[in-house]
Amino acid sequence: MRKLHFKYISLILIILFLASPTYALPQPSYDFYVYDAANILNKATEEYIIQTNLELYEKTEAQIVVATINDLEGMDINRYATELFDQWDIGGSRLDNGLLILIVPAEGQLWIEVGYGLEGVLPDSIVKRIIENRIIPYFSQGDYDSGVLAGYDEILNYVEKEYDIELKSRTGQYDGEYESDFTLGYRSRLSNIFLILGIIIFLIVDFKFFGGWLTYSMMRTFGRGSTGYRGNSGSSSRGRSRGGGGRSGGGGAGGRW
Amino acid sequence: MKKGVLITIAVIVAIVFIVGSSLAGTYNRLAKMEESVNSQWAQVENVIKRRADLIPNLVNTVKGYASHEEEVLTKITNARAGFESARTPEEYAEANAQFESAMRSLNVVVENYPELKANQNFLELQAELAGTENRISTERMRYNDAVREFNTAIRRFPINIIARLFGFEQKAYFQIDAEDMEVPEVNF
């Protein structure tokens, strides 16, 4: 009887496994804004894209993600970009103002997918022009960093104009101030007060009735667990960034070099 | 005896309540799914309209360089009329097929006019059209997914009985002919 159950369960598992999609899109990186699987961007470029994005997101909820991959897994680049955009939830959910720059160096192709909310300021013809005039000239010489930066900066110009803002981080004036504002919004600051109150009450109760035993044992557990807590985030002291829930509908343009 | 009657009534009330609330729940779920099919269809219409709006501009640009290619230009203009009179997914699919065949004839014609091919306005229209194709295929896919989910739900037993009771009907897919499956060439 038991064996029979085991058989059924494994059968179900096999079916589930077969039914799941065969291709797997990559998961976003820790910093979210740059995913460089093809390893074509240097640290300074990545840092610039991340810093400007942190400020941009704080001000407008817009997100501009640069992703490089090695393989399209047999998909058309525009379909791949649309699905990746969908899975990563790029841009704010209220305005759908995300943008994805997808680069596949091995295939000599790139695609810029524009979220619904940015289609007005970045229509396909403009995106096409950015690709042909700013990005491809560098890419065709193998200079990916300059190409990405030129295209990214031009897109930022349009986005800045759309929201009537100026990003301080573009000129290096960004000092991380926005980041702390961004991670500790008003609501989370309020809940922090409650958290601190809760901890104080807990400590009083614990030391009064248990002689502090609960506190000590918890500190021991956390102390052990905290090593490597950041995982592979490297030297970064930033918090993890995520997609804001924005959507796209296949708009944008692509190019080859 | 009186106690027995009371219990019977209580049981009946409980059954009615359970059936009623599960009916309401099912109805609400189906209504929500139907609504998502409708809104996704609106999105499809939206992107198709966007393409139809590009047509007059395209026709004018081509006219400037190839005014005597009337046959192709008429074909494209007719396709636009087809979009405007279309109401159902089937009619849209038909207009779509017509438009794509017109675009294929245009591609052949354009090859003979290098100046047209280099025209800035034409290049931008080409980028817009290519982007619109992509939008249409994306929204069509999402629409079909929503339809599949809805149609599957209302065919399942016992929901099919409830669906019939409330008049939920199968939704039409937005299908395209096999010959149109290949991405229409907008790379002139």
Side-chain angles (χ1 to χ4, degrees):
Chain A
M1 201 53 191
R2 255 209 165 143
K3 259 187 184 161
L4 205 67
H5 270 290
F6 179 72
K7 241 183 189 168
Y8 276 123
I9 289 168
S10 48
L11 193 70
I12 288 167
L13 282 178
I14 288 169
I15 289 170
L16 278 178
F17 178 74
L18 288 176
S20 65
T22 45
Y23 59 87
L25 293 170
Q27 292 298 311
S29 65
Y30 181 85
D31 283 315
F32 188 68
Y33 300 107
V34 180
Y35 176 89
D36 189 17
N39 205 14
I40 54 169
L41 302 173
N42 68 34
K43 204 91 203 127
T45 307
E46 293 184 10
E47 198 56 28
Y48 175 75
I49 293 169
I50 293 165
Q51 290 297 338
T52 42
N53 257 299
L54 288 171
E55 190 187 351
L56 180 67
Y57 185 72
E58 192 247 338
K59 287 184 167 166
T60 66
E61 288 187 0
Q63 295 181 314
I64 302 171
V65 174
V66 177
T68 73
I69 55 169
N70 291 310
D71 187 5
L72 285 169
E73 324 234 351
M75 270 194 269
D76 281 340
I77 190 165
N78 47 27
R79 170 60 47 83
Y80 193 101
T82 308
E83 297 206 353
L84 200 63
F85 197 112
D86 195 36
Q87 188 172 310
W88 289 10
D89 289 332
I90 301 168
S93 61
R94 203 163 43 90
L95 297 172
D96 289 326
N97 50 359
L99 190 140
L100 170 67
I101 304 174
L102 179 68
I103 302 159
V104 198
E107 314 242 357
Q109 287 193 66
L110 85 151
W111 179 267
I112 296 182
E113 175 92 3
V114 183
Y116 286 124
L118 289 176
E119 284 182 359
V121 62
L122 285 162
D124 303 341
S125 52
I126 300 274
V127 175
K128 183 80 182 169
R129 208 182 301 164
I130 293 172
I131 289 173
E132 298 292 340
N133 298 347
R134 307 266 166 171
I135 301 179
I136 300 281
Y138 288 110
F139 276 19
S140 53
Q141 288 169 12
D143 188 354
Y144 293 114
D145 276 299
S146 305
V148 166
L149 281 178
Y152 179 78
D153 265 330
E154 186 67 5
I155 288 165
L156 270 189
N157 289 340
Y158 279 97
V159 175
E160 276 186 338
K161 214 177 346 159
E162 166 82 354
Y163 294 108
D164 198 19
I165 54 163
E166 235 172 85
L167 295 177
K168 291 198 180 111
S169 46
R170 293 185 73 176
T171 48
Q173 289 175 314
Y174 178 84
D175 51 7
E177 198 184 307
Y178 293 107
E179 192 193 330
S180 56
D181 269 9
F182 161 72
T183 42
L184 290 179
Y186 169 73
R187 224 195 302 167
S188 52
R189 235 174 284 166
L190 203 71
S191 64
N192 274 358
I193 293 170
F194 282 113
L195 188 69
I196 291 164
L197 271 178
I199 290 172
I200 291 169
I201 292 169
F202 174 80
L203 286 176
I204 292 169
V205 170
D206 183 32
F207 277 90
K208 191 143 190 189
F209 295 103
F210 303 100
W213 177 82
L214 274 173
T215 311
Y216 286 129
S217 51
M218 268 169 72
M219 275 165 75
R220 264 199 302 274
T221 327
F222 278 115
R224 223 173 306 155
S226 70
T227 36
Y229 161 67
R230 280 231 168 265
N232 50 6
S233 72
S235 59
S236 162
S237 59
R238 277 189 296 265
R240 180 184 265 282
S241 293
R242 286 190 178 80
R247 296 166 311 137
S248 78
R256 290 167 184 271
W257 69 92
Chain B
M1 201 56 201
K2 201 128 194 237
K3 209 175 171 189
V5 173
L6 264 177
I7 288 173
T8 316
I9 290 172
V11 167
I12 289 170
V13 167
I15 288 174
V16 166
F17 181 76
I18 290 167
V19 169
S21 60
S22 87
L23 266 181
T26 308
Y27 175 82
N28 286 343
R29 202 163 56 84
L30 291 179
K32 199 176 157 201
M33 286 167 85
E34 190 175 38
E35 202 39 60
S36 94
V37 170
N38 290 342
S39 71
Q40 193 51 52
W41 175 250
Q43 198 64 30
V44 172
E45 279 188 321
N46 213 0
V47 285
I48 288 180
K49 184 168 184 321
R50 180 196 164 97
R51 183 167 68 183
D53 289 344
L54 290 170
I55 295 175
N57 205 344
L58 177 74
V59 168
N60 282 339
T61 310
V62 174
K63 256 187 195 158
Y65 291 86
S67 54
H68 51 274
E69 301 285 357
E70 265 170 35
E71 197 191 327
V72 173
L73 294 173
T74 316
K75 241 176 137 182
I76 293 175
T77 313
N78 286 345
R80 175 159 201 253
F83 284 126
E84 283 184 348
S85 62
R87 290 289 169 271
T88 63
E90 291 90 346
E91 284 165 11
Y92 267 105
E94 203 176 304
N96 202 43
Q98 203 186 345
F99 177 77
E100 270 155 24
S101 121
M103 285 307 284
R104 273 192 290 271
S105 336
L106 179 69
N107 292 338
V108 178
V109 167
V110 163
E111 280 306 314
N112 302 324
Y113 301 90
E115 286 155 31
L116 173 60
K117 274 172 82 179
N119 176 284
Q120 186 61 38
N121 198 9
F122 187 71
L123 288 173
E124 282 178 9
L125 270 171
Q126 171 191 327
E128 292 289 340
L129 278 168
T132 308
E133 288 311 327
N134 206 39
R135 284 187 181 86
I136 291 173
S137 81
T138 302
E139 302 298 357
R140 188 183 56 213
M141 190 184 69
R142 288 181 186 167
Y143 168 76
N144 284 342
D145 284 347
V147 170
R148 188 172 306 116
E149 202 189 332
F150 178 76
N151 285 356
T152 314
I154 67 170
R155 269 169 80 163
R156 284 231 177 89
F157 181 83
I159 296 174
N160 58 353
I161 299 166
I162 299 165
R164 205 170 307 151
L165 202 67
F166 289 112
F168 286 108
E169 278 171 12
Q170 298 267 319
K171 298 274 180 188
Y173 288 101
F174 187 176
Q175 273 158 338
I176 42 171
D177 297 338
E179 68 168 306
D180 294 316
M181 282 295 280
E182 48 187 293
V183 181
E185 278 291 324
V186 254
N187 288 329
F188 296 95

